[in-house]
Short mmCIF file of all heavy atoms in Angstrom, two decimals:
data_model
loop_
_atom_site.label_atom_id
_atom_site.label_comp_id
_atom_site.label_asym_id
_atom_site.label_seq_id
_atom_site.Cartn_x
_atom_site.Cartn_y
_atom_site.Cartn_z
N LYS I 285 -38.06 12.51 -5.19
CA LYS I 285 -36.72 13.00 -5.46
C LYS I 285 -36.68 14.51 -5.27
O LYS I 285 -37.62 15.21 -5.63
CB LYS I 285 -36.29 12.64 -6.89
CG LYS I 285 -36.03 11.16 -7.11
CD LYS I 285 -35.50 10.89 -8.50
CE LYS I 285 -35.18 9.41 -8.69
NZ LYS I 285 -34.62 9.13 -10.04
N VAL I 286 -35.59 14.99 -4.69
CA VAL I 286 -35.42 16.43 -4.46
C VAL I 286 -34.06 16.84 -5.01
O VAL I 286 -33.15 16.03 -5.16
CB VAL I 286 -35.52 16.78 -2.96
CG1 VAL I 286 -36.88 16.43 -2.42
CG2 VAL I 286 -34.44 16.07 -2.15
N LYS I 287 -33.93 18.12 -5.32
CA LYS I 287 -32.65 18.64 -5.79
C LYS I 287 -31.72 18.88 -4.60
O LYS I 287 -32.18 19.23 -3.51
CB LYS I 287 -32.87 19.93 -6.56
CG LYS I 287 -33.69 19.75 -7.84
CD LYS I 287 -33.94 21.09 -8.51
CE LYS I 287 -34.79 20.92 -9.77
NZ LYS I 287 -35.13 22.22 -10.38
N SER I 288 -30.44 18.71 -4.84
CA SER I 288 -29.45 18.94 -3.78
C SER I 288 -28.81 20.31 -3.96
O SER I 288 -28.49 20.70 -5.07
CB SER I 288 -28.37 17.86 -3.82
OG SER I 288 -28.91 16.59 -3.52
N PRO I 289 -28.59 21.05 -2.86
CA PRO I 289 -27.92 22.35 -2.94
C PRO I 289 -26.41 22.18 -3.14
O PRO I 289 -25.89 21.06 -3.15
CB PRO I 289 -28.24 22.98 -1.59
CG PRO I 289 -28.41 21.83 -0.67
CD PRO I 289 -28.99 20.71 -1.49
N SER I 290 -25.73 23.30 -3.28
CA SER I 290 -24.29 23.26 -3.56
C SER I 290 -23.45 22.91 -2.34
O SER I 290 -22.33 22.46 -2.45
CB SER I 290 -23.83 24.61 -4.14
OG SER I 290 -24.09 25.66 -3.21
N GLY I 291 -23.98 23.15 -1.13
CA GLY I 291 -23.23 22.88 0.09
C GLY I 291 -23.19 21.40 0.44
O GLY I 291 -23.89 20.58 -0.16
N THR I 292 -22.37 21.07 1.43
CA THR I 292 -22.20 19.66 1.82
C THR I 292 -23.27 19.18 2.80
O THR I 292 -23.58 18.01 2.83
CB THR I 292 -20.82 19.45 2.45
OG1 THR I 292 -20.69 20.33 3.59
CG2 THR I 292 -19.71 19.72 1.46
N LEU I 293 -23.82 20.11 3.60
CA LEU I 293 -24.81 19.76 4.62
C LEU I 293 -24.34 18.58 5.46
O LEU I 293 -24.99 17.55 5.58
CB LEU I 293 -26.16 19.44 3.95
CG LEU I 293 -26.81 20.60 3.19
CD1 LEU I 293 -28.14 20.17 2.59
CD2 LEU I 293 -26.99 21.81 4.07
N SER I 294 -23.19 18.76 6.05
CA SER I 294 -22.54 17.69 6.81
C SER I 294 -23.13 17.56 8.22
O SER I 294 -23.89 18.42 8.69
CB SER I 294 -21.05 17.97 6.91
OG SER I 294 -20.83 19.15 7.68
N THR I 295 -22.73 16.49 8.89
CA THR I 295 -23.13 16.29 10.28
C THR I 295 -22.62 17.43 11.16
O THR I 295 -23.31 17.87 12.08
CB THR I 295 -22.57 14.95 10.79
OG1 THR I 295 -22.98 13.90 9.91
CG2 THR I 295 -23.06 14.64 12.19
N ALA I 296 -21.42 17.92 10.86
CA ALA I 296 -20.85 19.03 11.63
C ALA I 296 -21.70 20.28 11.51
O ALA I 296 -21.89 21.03 12.47
CB ALA I 296 -19.42 19.31 11.16
N GLU I 297 -22.26 20.52 10.31
CA GLU I 297 -23.12 21.68 10.11
C GLU I 297 -24.44 21.51 10.87
O GLU I 297 -24.99 22.48 11.39
CB GLU I 297 -23.37 21.90 8.62
CG GLU I 297 -22.15 22.39 7.87
CD GLU I 297 -22.37 22.39 6.36
OE1 GLU I 297 -22.40 21.29 5.77
OE2 GLU I 297 -22.51 23.49 5.78
N ALA I 298 -24.96 20.30 10.93
CA ALA I 298 -26.17 20.04 11.70
C ALA I 298 -25.93 20.34 13.19
O ALA I 298 -26.78 20.93 13.87
CB ALA I 298 -26.62 18.60 11.52
N ILE I 299 -24.75 19.94 13.68
CA ILE I 299 -24.39 20.23 15.08
C ILE I 299 -24.33 21.73 15.31
O ILE I 299 -24.83 22.24 16.32
CB ILE I 299 -23.04 19.57 15.41
CG1 ILE I 299 -23.18 18.05 15.40
CG2 ILE I 299 -22.52 20.04 16.77
CD1 ILE I 299 -21.85 17.30 15.42
N SER I 300 -23.76 22.46 14.36
CA SER I 300 -23.65 23.92 14.48
C SER I 300 -25.03 24.57 14.49
O SER I 300 -25.29 25.48 15.30
CB SER I 300 -22.81 24.47 13.32
OG SER I 300 -22.74 25.87 13.37
N VAL I 301 -25.92 24.12 13.62
CA VAL I 301 -27.27 24.69 13.55
C VAL I 301 -28.00 24.49 14.86
O VAL I 301 -28.64 25.40 15.41
CB VAL I 301 -28.06 24.04 12.39
CG1 VAL I 301 -29.57 24.35 12.51
CG2 VAL I 301 -27.56 24.53 11.05
N LEU I 302 -27.90 23.30 15.44
CA LEU I 302 -28.60 23.00 16.68
C LEU I 302 -28.00 23.71 17.89
O LEU I 302 -28.71 24.16 18.78
CB LEU I 302 -28.63 21.49 16.90
CG LEU I 302 -29.64 20.77 15.99
CD1 LEU I 302 -29.28 19.30 15.83
CD2 LEU I 302 -31.05 20.91 16.55
N THR I 303 -26.67 23.82 17.91
CA THR I 303 -26.02 24.56 19.01
C THR I 303 -26.44 26.01 18.99
O THR I 303 -26.73 26.62 20.04
CB THR I 303 -24.49 24.43 18.91
OG1 THR I 303 -24.13 23.06 18.90
CG2 THR I 303 -23.82 25.12 20.09
N ASN I 304 -26.50 26.61 17.79
CA ASN I 304 -26.94 27.98 17.66
C ASN I 304 -28.41 28.12 18.09
O ASN I 304 -28.80 29.09 18.74
CB ASN I 304 -26.78 28.46 16.22
CG ASN I 304 -27.09 29.93 16.06
OD1 ASN I 304 -26.36 30.77 16.54
ND2 ASN I 304 -28.18 30.24 15.36
N GLY I 305 -29.22 27.11 17.73
CA GLY I 305 -30.61 27.14 18.13
C GLY I 305 -30.79 27.07 19.64
O GLY I 305 -31.66 27.74 20.21
N ILE I 306 -29.96 26.28 20.30
CA ILE I 306 -30.01 26.19 21.75
C ILE I 306 -29.67 27.53 22.40
O ILE I 306 -30.30 27.96 23.37
CB ILE I 306 -29.06 25.08 22.26
CG1 ILE I 306 -29.62 23.70 21.89
CG2 ILE I 306 -28.84 25.18 23.75
CD1 ILE I 306 -28.68 22.57 22.15
N ALA I 307 -28.66 28.21 21.84
CA ALA I 307 -28.30 29.54 22.35
C ALA I 307 -29.46 30.52 22.20
O ALA I 307 -29.74 31.32 23.11
CB ALA I 307 -27.06 30.05 21.63
N LEU I 308 -30.14 30.47 21.06
CA LEU I 308 -31.30 31.33 20.85
C LEU I 308 -32.41 31.02 21.84
O LEU I 308 -33.00 31.92 22.44
CB LEU I 308 -31.82 31.17 19.41
CG LEU I 308 -31.04 31.85 18.30
CD1 LEU I 308 -31.56 31.40 16.93
CD2 LEU I 308 -31.11 33.36 18.42
#
Side-chain angles (χ1 to χ4, degrees):
K285 290 185 177 181
V286 298
K287 296 176 182 176
S288 295
S290 60
T292 57
L293 298 181
S294 65
T295 306
E297 290 171 287
I299 293 167
S300 177
V301 166
L302 284 158
T303 304
N304 186 68
I306 289 172
L308 283 171

